[in-house]
Amino acid sequence: MHQCESWKQKKLYLLIGLMALIVVGCSREQEGTAIDISYINKDETKLVKESHYLKGTNTKEMIVEVLTLLCSVPDNKELKAPLTSGINIITYSYDGEQVIVSLGEKYKELARTTEVLTRAALVRSLTNIPDVNYVMITINGEPLMDMSGNAVGIMTADMFVDNAGAKVETVESKVNLRLYFANEEGDGLIAINREMNHNADISNIPMEKLVVEQLISGPANNESYPTISSDTKLLNITVKDGVCYLDFNSAFVTAVNNVSTDVTIYSIVNSLVELSNINKVQISIEGNKDGKFRDKYELSTIFERNLSLVQ
């Protein structure tokens, strides 16, 4: 009898030990940083998230792991890796909160819908890494261009509409911009709320770039007036550590009607600072940061919000 009970106890201990080993084994398999990787469904109409555990102990190691996963065939055979079809990663770099990925020329051959999904998958997956908030894609070191021939620039995860299974071409969401235009006298600012359809055609455009382009295009009513010459071209725009760096062509110095220099500057600054990732703005002209803007402001000036001009 005692031997039977002893054997039962031994079996119980063995079972408990086996269960403990299984639990430990499972926990070891899931060690690391858990993040979602975005893959493309077979029909190429939406993104699907798959959880993975990264082994890397620092940001650069995690970036390499994520890029490797984006190139690898997923376990779920209903999904496709974004970076397949001969698209190769030439190089990558990491600076602060930003990752720059240089892809091969094959990327240009992607269909429009597939390209938007691929881009969104890269940005969403990489920005899931702690300390990575921005992603830029280049093709052989050259800036990635959108459908209109403009440089896409820096991207964030929230720029891409989550289409929840709907076809990319038909997806729309609303984007609300708060823009500052001139009053009739040109000595003050009027705040205008502009609602836009954020569809697949513009979902890849950085919000800061969209804001500046809307300022250049001017107001859409008779209550306010343009602050920037329509001949102005945005040559480059980047955001780093809360500072937005803008580079315009020389047409930017041209005054519009009777708009004051302060109104021109702060229509841009106040509009950009409305975005959550921007606190300050610096402006250059044709890459020059050493001169003055209309003989008043040094181009090295870093501007902050100024609501004293707002009516």
Side-chain angles (χ1 to χ4, degrees):
M1 185 71 175
H2 292 296
Q3 288 180 345
C4 185
E5 288 180 358
S6 176
W7 172 239
K8 284 182 179 179
Q9 286 180 340
K10 286 181 180 179
K11 285 202 296 184
L12 180 61
Y13 293 147
L14 284 170
L15 181 61
I16 292 171
L18 181 60
M19 290 177 66
L21 286 171
I22 292 171
V23 170
V24 170
C26 290
S27 64
R28 282 178 179 171
E29 286 178 3
Q30 296 185 347
E31 284 181 353
T33 303
I35 74 164
D36 288 331
I37 300 295
S38 292
Y39 295 100
I40 302 174
N41 71 334
K42 271 193 173 180
D43 295 331
E44 299 188 356
T45 57
K46 65 178 181 178
L47 297 181
V48 179
K49 298 175 184 176
E50 293 274 292
S51 294
H52 289 269
Y53 288 84
L54 304 183
K55 307 292 186 185
T57 56
N58 58 56
T59 303
K60 288 189 176 181
E61 289 177 356
M62 291 182 189
I63 291 169
V64 172
E65 285 187 71
V66 169
L67 292 175
T68 301
L69 287 168
L70 291 171
C71 294
S72 305
V73 177
D75 294 334
N76 186 343
K77 301 308 177 186
E78 296 301 311
L79 304 178
K80 298 171 59 177
L83 297 179
T84 54
S85 304
I87 300 171
N88 62 310
I89 299 173
I90 297 173
T91 186
Y92 88 94
S93 63
Y94 170 65
D95 180 16
E97 302 175 75
Q98 177 179 308
V99 175
I100 300 176
V101 182
S102 181
L103 302 176
E105 292 285 340
K106 197 78 174 175
Y107 184 89
K108 294 180 180 179
E109 299 177 13
L110 292 176
R112 183 177 71 88
T113 299
T114 307
E115 192 276 326
V116 172
L117 286 171
T118 301
R119 191 187 316 171
L122 261 72
V123 174
R124 284 182 171 179
S125 300
L126 286 167
T127 53
N128 281 334
I129 299 172
D131 300 327
V132 175
N133 293 315
Y134 309 102
V135 176
M136 179 183 285
I137 297 174
T138 64
I139 308 299
N140 267 337
E142 297 296 323
L144 177 64
M145 312 302 283
D146 62 20
M147 297 294 291
S148 302
N150 299 312
V152 172
I154 295 173
M155 295 170 283
T156 58
D158 57 8
M159 289 164 43
F160 296 92
V161 179
D162 191 351
N163 53 55
K167 287 190 176 181
V168 174
E169 295 92 335
T170 61
V171 171
E172 289 188 354
S173 67
K174 300 294 183 182
V175 172
N176 291 303
L177 303 178
R178 189 166 179 82
L179 306 173
Y180 292 83
F181 293 105
N183 61 6
E184 187 173 4
E185 294 75 23
D187 59 0
L189 291 169
I190 297 175
I192 301 292
N193 292 322
R194 180 170 294 180
E195 186 179 78
M196 302 182 66
N197 288 328
H198 197 248
N199 54 33
D201 289 331
I202 67 168
S203 63
N204 58 302
I205 301 176
M207 291 299 292
E208 55 271 14
K209 182 178 180 181
L210 188 61
V211 165
V212 177
E213 288 178 346
Q214 291 301 305
L215 289 173
I216 293 173
S217 66
N221 55 45
N222 296 324
E223 300 173 7
S224 56
Y225 298 84
T227 60
I228 305 171
S229 167
S230 59
D231 294 326
T232 300
K233 303 294 182 186
L234 179 62
L235 303 180
N236 192 35
I237 183 166
T238 58
V239 179
K240 185 175 181 180
D241 298 328
V243 182
C244 182
Y245 299 92
L246 302 166
D247 188 31
F248 293 110
N249 69 345
S250 57
F252 178 63
V253 300
T254 304
V256 180
N257 302 324
N258 58 343
V259 174
S260 71
T261 299
D262 283 347
V263 167
T264 295
I265 289 291
Y266 287 104
S267 71
I268 298 170
V269 175
N270 290 349
S271 298
L272 285 169
V273 173
E274 291 287 344
L275 301 178
S276 60
N277 62 321
I278 296 175
N279 301 312
K280 301 176 183 179
V281 176
Q282 185 179 41
I283 298 170
S284 60
I285 299 172
E286 303 279 0
N288 184 9
K289 297 180 182 179
D290 299 324
K292 279 190 174 184
F293 176 65
R294 296 182 189 167
D295 296 324
K296 181 168 184 179
Y297 289 111
E298 298 287 343
L299 292 177
S300 58
T301 303
I302 296 180
F303 297 95
E304 297 184 39
R305 188 199 304 267
N306 179 1
L307 298 179
S308 64
L309 295 168
V310 180
Q311 297 183 348

